[in-house]
């Protein structure tokens, strides 16, 4: 956590995610990038600050083919009372800004403001196994 410069981290699979987020962000969440959906999105919505912003990019929690048990509770009530902005995010919508974004990201990496961790796989024959390992959270869980 210190190496990457995070202020806090929570285990999204542990009981009490909503409480853990509140403890990690006692003043609320100003900006949330959601790539999971489901219960994680719900916990984030309950902890958003007034006028918070949510970029919705994916729904990994629903990619296994099973129907989700429910949508996030509190919608649309939380969106209205907290005056939240939720917006879908598809990277290709910003293709025209790619060169500028890469230049800015490179500057952050070069200055140390953005840390890069790589997992280099030797041999094309190992790519499939590593890809599935990524989905099984082996990289993050093992600390790479």
């Amino acid at each position: 956590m210190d190496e990457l410069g995070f202020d806090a981290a929570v285990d999204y699979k542990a009981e009490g995610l909503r409480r853990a987020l509140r403890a990690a962000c006692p003043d609320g969440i100003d900006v949330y990038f959601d790539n999971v959906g489901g219960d994680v999105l719900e916990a984030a919505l309950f902890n958003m600050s007034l006028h918070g912003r949510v970029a919705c990019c994916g729904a990994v929690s629903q990619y296994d083919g099973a129907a989700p048990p429910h949508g996030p509770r509190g919608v649309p009530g939380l969106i209205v009372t907290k005056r939240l902005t939720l917006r879908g995010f598809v990277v290709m919508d910003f293709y025209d800004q790619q060169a500028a974004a890469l230049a800015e990201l490179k500057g952050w990496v070069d200055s140390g403001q953005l840390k890069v961790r790589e997992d280099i796989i030797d041999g094309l024959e190992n790519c499939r196994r590593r890809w599935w390992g990524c989905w099984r959270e082996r990289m993050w869980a093992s600390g790479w």
Side-chain angles (χ1 to χ4, degrees), residues 50-73:
L50 281 179
H51 304 284
R53 296 169 291 154
V54 179
C56 298
C57 184
V60 169
S61 66
Q62 299 169 15
Y63 290 170
D64 65 0
H70 59 78
R73 289 173 287 203

Side-chain angles (χ1 to χ4, degrees), residues 33-35 54-58 86-94:
F33 183 89
D34 182 58
N35 201 29
V54 179
C56 298
C57 184
L86 279 72
R87 183 174 182 174
F89 177 86
V90 177
V91 72
M92 294 309 297
D93 290 347
F94 301 91

Side-chain angles (χ1 to χ4, degrees), residues 69-82:
H70 59 78
R73 289 173 287 203
V75 174
L78 286 170
I79 296 169
V80 173
T81 58
K82 293 186 176 221

Side-chain angles (χ1 to χ4, degrees), residues 5 9 13 15 25 31 33 49 53 55 61 65 69 72 85 90 99 101-102 107 114 125 136 139:
K13 290 187 174 186
E15 289 292 319
C25 306
V31 178
F33 183 89
S49 302
R53 296 169 291 154
S61 66
T85 300
V90 177
L102 289 174
L114 182 63
E125 68 277 7
R136 290 187 204 116
M139 289 193 300

